[in-house]
Amino acid sequence: MTITFDTLITNAAIFGHEDADAIAIDHGRIVYIGRDRGIRSKNTLDLSGKIVLPGFIDSHAHLMSTGLELSRLNLFNAPGKKEAIDEIRSYAEKHDKVIAYRWDESRWDDDRSYLTAHDLNSIEKPVVAFRRDAHMAVVNDAAMRSIGQFRPDGVFREEDMVHLKDLIRPDYEEASEALSMALDTAVSLGITGVRDIVDRMTYDTYGKIKIPIRIFKVIYSNELFDGFGADEFDWGVKEFLDGSLGSRTAAHGGWDERNLKMKERDFEAFAQTIWSRNLPLAVHAIGEIAVEVAAKTMHRHAGKQRNSIEHFELVEDGILDMIDDNTIISAQPNFLEWAGHGGMYEDRLGSEWLYRNNPYRDILDSGIRLAFGSDSMPIGPMYGIHYAVNSEFRQQRLTFEEAVRSYSEAGSYLLGLEKWVGLIETGYSADFAVFDQSSLLAHEKLKEARPTMTIFEGKIVYFRS
């Protein structure tokens, strides 16, 4: 009897299978990888030599923010402070208020100082402009009057930003539209799985929209509710040990000691309460002081859950020796954009940390699992893979294959899906990102590469003609 499969992908280059040119799919799973020798199928997809990569897993994203940037104002591409202010002013002419995202003074070609209220006070309507890392926002006088909170420079950092919540919160209609747009964007970038960091509103919004890929929710600790964890897509809890380097709120030696949000004993007690609920923990740790607290605590309680340390940017000697199989490093290779000579890391930290930050090469060489995500800064696996492959420092630089596996295979392990997601192997879910091979040949242009097709569970969910 001749077997007829659902779909045959043929005339393709297969990531991890140099001698194969075909993949057979049945009921959403891979059932064959090899040479096409007359395999029968209901549908045939001839890729004309394109390369099939595993579907990307973004291990740390903020999809609501991604969507709101699309529907509100995104300042990511503003070349300078003047242009950023001009964009805000133009937007204000057509809207009752301005909620802007992703300005980044380290990228500007004119004045590299932070935005302040002084820059925005000529605008009569309320303005809230979040720095790229979302650990800091600048607010003009009109916005401060509306919330009844005043800061001399209009700068709100970390927990202080809670005062902005009512002003910036979308209603459910806007939230649903934003989240749907973000999901469409993710799919167009070859993403088939996301570990999304959410508040309760975002969590609830997911229940009202169509979700085209796998979304695992990580809820902020202050939004944890009874019943979270009952759904198979509830991953765990997010907590902060510090802030960011860009906003100077990371727990870094010589900076404000208050940047460390919990001392080691307090964090351990907190972690144990989360683990007692049978939930894993994603802990935000960027500065070396926060990283050490997180690593030591996880090390003492190895095996409790499959936890993650988020960002893990400044890593002192000896810390890697503490990381076990149940502690996954969840890092953002796009952060290497700031890591070269003359970049933000050198500006903020000096030459001491110039090549020691984000040590991806050392992490992998130590046998530690390294899962990549974007932190939505911006969302897009190839943007981050570009910087991991092209880093000027050996301690950070990965091969293209290693970077892809960190954006797929390692993410599946973090999500507990390693036996059926994240690899192109028989028995695994047929999740793929398809690229023109030519777009991946010039490594210095990887961040410009976009998939021509995204396949999820054997079905085409995105196609670019």
Side-chain angles (χ1 to χ4, degrees), residues 137-159:
V138 175
V139 178
N140 71 350
D141 283 353
M144 286 189 278
R145 284 194 299 271
S146 72
I147 63 175
Q149 295 284 331
F150 295 89
R151 307 290 180 270
D153 54 4
V155 173
F156 289 70
R157 288 185 172 91
E158 302 298 335
E159 291 84 356

Side-chain angles (χ1 to χ4, degrees), residues 10-25:
T10 189
N11 195 13
I14 315 296
F15 180 84
H17 299 272
E18 292 182 1
D19 297 328
D21 68 353
I23 303 172
I25 302 166

Side-chain angles (χ1 to χ4, degrees), residues 325-355:
D325 280 348
N326 277 345
T327 301
I328 297 90
I329 303 306
S330 170
Q332 291 66 50
N334 38 310
F335 289 6
L336 293 180
E337 176 181 342
W338 304 300
H341 282 97
M344 186 188 70
Y345 284 84
E346 186 175 26
D347 175 69
R348 297 288 195 275
L349 308 169
S351 59
E352 176 189 355
W353 284 100
L354 187 56
Y355 67 90

Side-chain angles (χ1 to χ4, degrees), residues 66 99 150 160 207 267 291 402 407 413-414 448 452:
T66 295
I99 312 298
F150 295 89
D160 197 29
F267 174 64
V291 166
E402 288 171 331
Y407 241 122
Y413 183 86
L414 175 57
E448 301 169 10
T452 62

Side-chain angles (χ1 to χ4, degrees), residues 258-464:
R258 292 171 296 181
N259 286 354
L260 182 67
K261 298 178 186 291
M262 278 191 275
K263 295 186 189 259
E264 191 171 329
R265 180 182 300 178
D266 297 328
F267 174 64
E268 182 172 31
F270 165 81
Q272 288 179 315
T273 64
I274 299 301
W275 293 328
S276 71
R277 298 180 64 158
N278 200 32
L279 292 169
L281 182 62
V283 56
H284 172 120
I286 286 181
E288 75 280 6
I289 298 170
V291 166
E292 182 175 359
V293 169
K296 284 183 175 180
T297 303
M298 300 293 190
H299 182 69
R300 283 196 298 272
H301 297 275
K304 291 279 187 181
Q305 295 285 345
R306 194 173 286 185
N307 304 290
S308 65
I309 302 178
E310 304 299 310
H311 311 308
F312 203 73
E313 293 185 51
L314 305 185
V315 185
E316 295 275 26
D317 293 341
I319 294 297
L320 295 182
D321 296 333
M322 300 181 187
I323 307 300
D324 62 89
D325 280 348
N326 277 345
T327 301
I328 297 90
I329 303 306
S330 170
Q332 291 66 50
N334 38 310
F335 289 6
L336 293 180
E337 176 181 342
W338 304 300
H341 282 97
M344 186 188 70
Y345 284 84
E346 186 175 26
D347 175 69
R348 297 288 195 275
L349 308 169
S351 59
E352 176 189 355
W353 284 100
L354 187 56
Y355 67 90
R356 295 171 59 206
N357 66 81
N358 299 283
Y360 304 144
R361 171 82 276 141
D362 294 342
I363 290 170
L364 287 188
D365 288 350
S366 297
I368 297 168
R369 297 182 190 274
L370 174 64
F372 277 163
S374 67
D375 203 13
S376 291
M377 294 175 53
I379 193 169
M382 294 309 299
Y383 192 95
I385 288 172
H386 167 94
Y387 286 102
V389 169
N390 291 296
S391 172
E392 61 183 286
F393 302 118
R394 182 202 65 79
Q395 291 86 346
Q396 300 165 339
R397 191 166 55 248
L398 303 184
T399 67
F400 177 74
E401 179 178 343
E402 288 171 331
V404 168
R405 291 187 183 278
S406 288
Y407 241 122
S408 53
E409 182 180 354
S412 71
Y413 183 86
L414 175 57
L415 294 172
L417 307 178
E418 69 273 15
K419 294 182 180 179
W420 65 283
V421 169
L423 290 171
I424 302 179
E425 297 291 349
T426 56
Y428 278 67
S429 182
D431 305 337
F432 311 124
V434 179
F435 287 79
D436 284 317
Q437 290 200 64
S438 60
S439 70
L440 305 181
L441 293 177
H443 280 183
E444 68 276 8
K445 295 184 178 180
L446 281 175
K447 68 178 177 180
E448 301 169 10
R450 296 292 183 271
T452 62
M453 187 183 305
T454 303
I455 297 173
F456 177 67
E457 294 184 338
K459 299 185 183 304
I460 298 172
V461 292
Y462 169 76
F463 178 79
R464 176 169 57 85

Side-chain angles (χ1 to χ4, degrees), residues 51-232:
I51 185 168
V52 180
L53 303 181
F56 296 120
I57 297 172
D58 191 323
S59 294
H60 183 127
H62 300 270
L63 291 185
M64 182 62 79
S65 293
T66 295
L68 290 174
E69 290 162 23
L70 295 170
S71 62
R72 293 176 173 177
L73 178 60
N74 188 341
L75 298 172
F76 178 70
N77 290 318
K81 177 184 278 192
K82 179 182 181 301
E83 288 82 1
I85 296 169
D86 287 344
E87 286 189 40
I88 293 171
R89 182 175 290 108
S90 295
Y91 187 91
E93 291 174 357
K94 301 176 183 178
H95 298 83
D96 293 334
K97 61 183 176 181
V98 181
I99 312 298
Y101 300 86
R102 306 302 182 194
W103 60 268
D104 182 356
E105 81 292 337
S106 72
R107 292 164 55 94
W108 290 343
D109 56 15
D110 51 4
D111 179 354
R112 291 198 172 187
S113 62
Y114 290 147
L115 282 173
T116 66
H118 175 75
D119 298 310
L120 306 174
N121 280 339
S122 63
I123 301 170
E124 296 180 355
K125 297 174 183 177
V127 176
V128 178
F130 288 95
R131 194 183 180 278
R132 185 174 174 184
D133 56 18
H135 286 263
M136 168 184 172
V138 175
V139 178
N140 71 350
D141 283 353
M144 286 189 278
R145 284 194 299 271
S146 72
I147 63 175
Q149 295 284 331
F150 295 89
R151 307 290 180 270
D153 54 4
V155 173
F156 289 70
R157 288 185 172 91
E158 302 298 335
E159 291 84 356
D160 197 29
M161 291 192 295
V162 71
H163 298 296
L164 309 176
K165 200 167 185 179
D166 290 341
L167 185 59
I168 67 170
R169 182 190 288 115
D171 59 28
Y172 273 106
E173 183 178 353
E174 184 184 12
S176 297
E177 181 181 354
L179 206 51
S180 295
M181 285 193 295
L183 286 165
D184 288 345
T185 298
V187 169
S188 75
L189 295 169
I191 296 170
T192 56
V194 177
R195 193 176 61 138
D196 197 18
I197 316 299
V198 303
D199 57 14
R200 181 62 189 270
M201 182 183 191
T202 304
Y203 184 95
D204 290 342
T205 303
Y206 270 119
K208 303 175 186 297
I209 64 172
K210 182 180 179 181
I211 303 175
I213 55 177
R214 294 182 197 91
I215 301 293
F216 287 80
K217 277 84 75 178
V218 184
I219 197 155
Y220 291 109
S221 63
N222 63 341
E223 305 249 357
L224 181 61
F225 59 91
D226 289 340
F228 180 87
D231 189 281
E232 63 177 317

